[in-house]
Amino acid sequence: MALSLLRPLQTWLPRRWRSAPPIDTGLWRGVTSALPFVTALSIREQERLRTLCAHFLQEKEFHGAHGLVITDRMALTIAAQACLPLLQMRCAHGNVAQEDAEKLDWYGDFVGIVVQPGAAVAQREVTDGVGVVHRYREVLAGEAMDRGPVMLSWDEVSRAAELAPLGKNVVIHEFAHKLDMHGMGRAQQPDGAPPLPPGFLGLGADDARQRWRNTMQEAYTGFKEAVAMAERFGGEPPWLDDYAATHPAEFFAVTCEAYFVQRERFAQELPALLPLYDGFFRSAA
């Protein structure tokens, strides 16, 4: 599976008319054996994930930054983690997929995946409430841009197995942002409330959206309070990365990481979110 073949001429065809390039069995086993949250899947689920990855690799373009050479193993490692959240989901338009590859419409707003050797430094600029412009640098392990590429640090990606017990996974984090951004208007910002499937939790569309927002807001507020107690009064720090306390969209992305790589601990720490995430990510199960 050479990278030069990941986007063959048939890429322009509708998915139902094209076959995905085969993924070498040795390569697939080598990649997935290093990802405990993938090996925990059933054999059938792993085969479906493999097919989904093949289509993903056919549709996306990988670019190594600062001279980094992207190998097949690196590309597949990213693909397996990026596609994992889609496995039991419905299509982006709400229907149950006839073929798993249809679910890639959730990631249809971009093609490029930029892989940095290590963390990237981004220049930021914000204007405060009184109009003063503040410029600063932010160190990033990943970033997802609306209608733009996904950036990932290979150093962080390569530590997926090591970081899983901590509920961390940079690939799932950034692709959760893509789910959150799906269908967003150009003037909108992600807010941790992705488009919900029809019949979510047995509710109508309006009630489902309100249930999601109310439950997420309560959990987010509680998490922020726990972080503040730890920082100011020496309380026990919360299990998840305190970056989740910076914005509702980051809370969604950070909790998605934990949901997929450390589900049992997630259920213990955030029991109110488990039915929400099951209803969203397992809507076609």
Side-chain angles (χ1 to χ4, degrees):
M1 187 189 68
L3 285 171
S4 61
L5 300 179
L6 294 183
R7 289 177 58 77
L9 290 177
Q10 54 170 279
T11 301
W12 63 273
L13 292 170
R15 291 191 192 101
R16 65 183 181 275
W17 291 350
R18 54 178 152 94
S19 58
I23 295 175
D24 176 78
T25 297
L27 176 62
W28 174 252
R29 289 176 178 171
V31 166
T32 57
S33 65
L35 301 173
F37 44 89
V38 173
T39 58
L41 300 173
S42 70
I43 298 300
R44 172 59 179 154
E45 288 170 332
Q46 290 184 45
E47 284 304 309
R48 288 176 53 210
L49 182 63
R50 182 175 175 176
T51 300
L52 194 52
C53 287
H55 284 280
F56 178 92
L57 291 168
Q58 190 177 57
E59 297 182 14
K60 304 305 179 189
E61 294 179 349
F62 288 78
H63 307 276
H66 305 293
L68 181 66
V69 177
I70 308 298
T71 66
D72 289 349
R73 182 177 293 272
M74 293 166 69
L76 184 56
T77 296
I78 292 169
Q81 295 171 80
C83 292
L84 180 60
L86 302 181
L87 193 59
Q88 305 292 351
M89 290 181 67
R90 293 193 179 203
C91 297
H93 51 66
N95 293 345
V96 175
Q98 298 301 308
E99 300 288 342
D100 282 326
E102 296 174 46
K103 302 170 188 178
L104 289 172
D105 283 346
W106 280 103
Y107 300 154
D109 71 326
F110 77 103
V111 171
I113 298 172
V114 179
V115 186
Q116 302 270 355
V121 179
Q123 301 291 335
R124 302 300 197 198
E125 181 178 298
V126 296
T127 304
D128 63 22
V130 296
V132 177
V133 177
H134 302 268
R135 297 181 178 87
Y136 62 97
R137 293 183 176 184
E138 184 178 9
V139 178
L140 302 172
E143 185 171 28
M145 288 152 272
D146 181 33
R147 297 175 178 84
V150 171
M151 185 279 289
L152 298 165
S153 159
W154 178 249
D155 180 62
E156 190 81 4
V157 174
S158 66
R159 298 172 60 213
E162 173 191 344
L163 296 174
L166 304 176
K168 294 183 178 183
N169 185 284
V170 67
V171 178
I172 293 174
H173 181 108
E174 299 308 332
F175 280 83
H177 280 315
K178 282 295 186 181
L179 298 175
D180 194 8
M181 293 171 180
H182 187 80
M184 197 171 66
R186 291 190 178 275
Q188 294 178 304
Q189 296 294 324
D191 60 358
L196 299 176
F200 177 77
L201 300 184
L203 302 171
D206 291 342
D207 289 340
R209 175 67 60 180
Q210 195 61 47
R211 173 77 63 84
W212 180 280
R213 290 189 178 279
N214 290 347
T215 306
M216 289 293 288
Q217 182 60 49
E218 184 176 349
Y220 176 56
T221 299
F223 185 81
K224 288 197 299 179
E225 291 173 351
V227 169
M229 290 293 292
E231 291 177 347
R232 298 175 188 174
F233 306 108
E236 183 178 356
W239 170 53
L240 294 177
D241 189 339
D242 60 11
Y243 188 60
T246 61
H247 191 277
E250 298 301 341
F251 182 71
F252 173 64
V254 170
T255 52
C256 284
E257 298 176 59
Y259 175 80
F260 283 101
V261 305
Q262 197 62 237
R263 178 181 170 84
E264 290 186 7
R265 182 74 183 272
F266 174 91
Q268 293 171 3
E269 300 285 343
L270 298 161
L273 296 190
L274 188 63
L276 255 64
Y277 285 25
D278 281 350
F280 181 64
F281 289 110
R282 300 188 174 194
S283 57

